[in-house]
Amino acid sequence: MTTNEIRFDCRRKQRGDGSVLVIVPRIDGAPLTELIDSFEIAAGMTPAGNAYGGLIPQFYRFGPMEDHFRGLSTDAMGPGTPLLGCECGEWGCWPLMARITVTADLVIWDSFEQPHRKTRDYTAFGPFRFELRHYDAALDALISAIGSDTT
């Protein structure tokens, strides 16, 4: 079984209301925003393209990012975990949700969905499998980068 590489980009973005921290997962070197845009456009979904943005912890208290990206932080829209939010900055507006499963060796992202478009079929998107030790290292790097901005 092949595994994917994970990294979490963490950048400050200027908005009309100031600077905010934006977190975007990067899989095998590509931002998740680009991966999902390409998938939705190729599948003929509308709207599609430039609809997603990173998560902004300042706008919603996800809790510790190590818990959030292990699928433990919210049941706000069902059992899935938001991996991306809307390009407007509000995760609940247009989220990309997924199930996150942690095993002894792997972290798996699957069962992707757009909860505002229940008829969309994401079964061909993913699953993404990450070696647990690499995933934990990526989370550690994220936590170091953002410090107290997550609580």
Side-chain angles (χ1 to χ4, degrees), residues 64-138:
M65 288 288 99
E66 61 265 30
D67 288 348
H68 178 78
F69 283 110
R70 287 177 172 268
L72 303 173
S73 73
T74 183
D75 280 329
M77 285 191 152
T81 298
L83 298 177
L84 296 173
C86 180
E87 57 82 28
C88 77
E90 171 57 48
W91 81 264
C93 180
W94 194 257
L96 178 66
M97 309 289 284
R99 176 176 57 188
I100 299 175
T101 304
V102 180
T103 71
D105 301 325
L106 295 172
V107 176
I108 303 162
W109 290 2
D110 64 3
S111 300
F112 289 89
E113 71 171 323
Q114 170 41 258
H116 300 307
R117 298 290 190 272
K118 293 286 189 186
T119 59
R120 288 185 172 193
D121 183 2
Y122 289 91
T123 54
F125 188 70
F128 299 106
R129 294 176 182 90
F130 312 102
E131 289 183 30
L132 180 60
R133 63 188 172 94
H134 293 234
Y135 194 87
D136 284 346

